[in-house]
Amino acid sequence: MNLLTLETTCDETAAAVVTDELEVLASVVASQESLHQRFGGVVPEIASRAHVESILPVIQQTVSQAGLTLADLDAVAVANTPGLSGSLLVGLTAAKSLCLALDLPLLAVNHLQAHVYACKMASGQEVFPCVGMIVSGGHSNIYRCEGPTDFTPLGGTIDDAAGEAFDKVASLLGLPYPGGPAIGRVAKGGDPHKYKFPRPLLADRTRLAFSFSGLKTAVRYQTHGTGKLEERRKLDEQTIADTAASFQEAVVDCLVGKAELALTQTGYGTLCVGGGVAANHRLRERLEQSAKAGGYDLFIPPMNLCTDNAVMGAIAIERWKEGKFEELDLDIHPGLERVGT
Ligand code: KG4
Ligand code: ZN
């Protein structure tokens, strides 16, 4: 059985072909990074237009990389929630068109559940039940994951997502977009204890909540004072490195602390981490230390399966096995309200 999966929730146009044995026959990701770089963040209108341009070439490239033709496909899956409306629509429309033209069944993918499923794809091991932590540019959420598509939200950010904070702090430090990789790079030459940035909500053992907005402001005041940002100071290299390292350490403290709390609260012995921020070296290192000390199993996919990709859309195989097909009137759900479904 050959499943074509499509992923266009944000700013990557991605497709993959996977089998019902979860073998990956092909995977292609067309990044829009260069288009959004000068804006310091994803511009939704630009994202959806770029998806329109890329989606067909990406599908063609994926199918041919798999050594197949469209006639060899048995089903099409598409991430229809959550994400940017315009971006989601492009993937969904492409998926529906293929299903109509080729008379194939359509399957829906929840993008956040897919990020956790990437842990199973990467490890080849059963990871459920587990605590799932998704930390990306748009989300910082923690779930009780009883099965691949059986998620209960346990908590998350009350303001910015962790990746968003990385991107904004990078901009304050004059580093390029996306900020996460840039901060991770320069932080290696910095002192993580140089500046004492806040760890919002970390001490609150009753809530699985994050707050990164105040931390971002603390970095702004530390680096540029309280004056106008137009009159921002010129920072020397060491100050940039120390600020990046201290900021990163504060975010990592919050993420590791709440992941440990979620494991304690659920009594689960497995933590799965996904999303772009899970590509962060320091976070990975600290989680590995935590897993060793806490005696729990940790799954973090390699970098290319942490950031958005279509391989993780293999979660649709689970729905295929259960016969949970969609009608061609399937809609997008940009918000988070459907995560529990
Ligand atoms: O999951 P993702 O590719 O897209 C969505 O937001 O859904 O995540 C992108 C986010 C960006 O905010 C980026 O700065 C962050 O992930 N990121 C990182 C790293 N690589 C990407 N953050 C910290 N360290 C990294 N190495
Ligand atoms: Zn994502």
Side-chain angles (χ1 to χ4, degrees), residues 7 9-10 111-112 115 134 136-137 139 275-276 306-308 312:
E7 154 63 47
T9 59
C10 187
H111 177 77
L112 297 179
H115 267 304
I134 297 141
S136 69
H139 309 282
C306 283
T307 48
D308 287 349
M312 63 190 191

Side-chain angles (χ1 to χ4, degrees), residues 217 219-229 233:
T217 308
V219 175
R220 182 225 196 273
Y221 289 163
Q222 174 67 45
T223 49
H224 299 293
T226 53
K228 287 186 185 153
L229 266 187
R233 299 172 188 155

Side-chain angles (χ1 to χ4, degrees), residues 144-305:
R144 174 200 299 272
C145 313
E146 284 174 50
T149 59
D150 187 358
F151 278 35
T152 310
L154 296 177
T157 183
I158 58 169
D159 41 55
D160 291 353
E164 200 179 340
F166 268 97
D167 293 338
K168 288 190 178 146
V169 166
S171 153
L172 285 172
L173 298 179
L175 299 171
Y177 172 85
I183 287 192
R185 243 184 344 263
V186 301
K188 285 188 181 148
D191 174 3
H193 307 294
K194 174 85 185 196
Y195 303 111
K196 297 273 164 287
F197 291 130
R199 271 76 172 151
L201 301 175
L202 179 57
D204 184 344
R205 304 289 295 167
T206 63
R207 285 168 75 196
L208 287 169
F210 303 110
S211 168
F212 296 114
S213 177
L215 170 59
K216 193 180 63 190
T217 308
V219 175
R220 182 225 196 273
Y221 289 163
Q222 174 67 45
T223 49
H224 299 293
T226 53
K228 287 186 185 153
L229 266 187
E230 295 77 48
E231 294 152 20
R232 62 176 68 185
R233 299 172 188 155
K234 174 104 184 69
L235 306 171
D236 64 68
E237 230 171 80
Q238 195 54 51
T239 304
I240 292 174
D242 290 339
T243 310
S246 301
F247 160 76
Q248 177 176 267
E249 203 64 16
V251 175
V252 168
D253 274 347
C254 295
L255 296 176
V256 174
K258 294 299 180 183
E260 288 172 348
L261 181 59
L263 287 162
T264 306
Q265 285 187 359
T266 56
Y268 284 176
T270 303
L271 174 68
C272 286
V273 188
V277 180
N280 184 272
H281 277 286
R282 184 65 183 142
L283 177 62
R284 297 169 86 97
E285 188 176 73
R286 288 278 309 279
L287 283 171
E288 274 156 24
Q289 289 165 1
S290 160
K292 217 177 238 175
Y296 63 88
D297 293 326
L298 172 68
F299 293 94
I300 316 180
M303 311 281 186
N304 63 328
L305 294 185

Side-chain angles (χ1 to χ4, degrees), residues 52-71:
V52 170
E53 284 176 13
S54 306
I55 190 75
L56 295 181
V58 164
I59 290 171
Q60 273 159 352
Q61 197 185 333
T62 307
V63 172
S64 95
Q65 200 181 84
L68 304 173
T69 66
L70 289 177

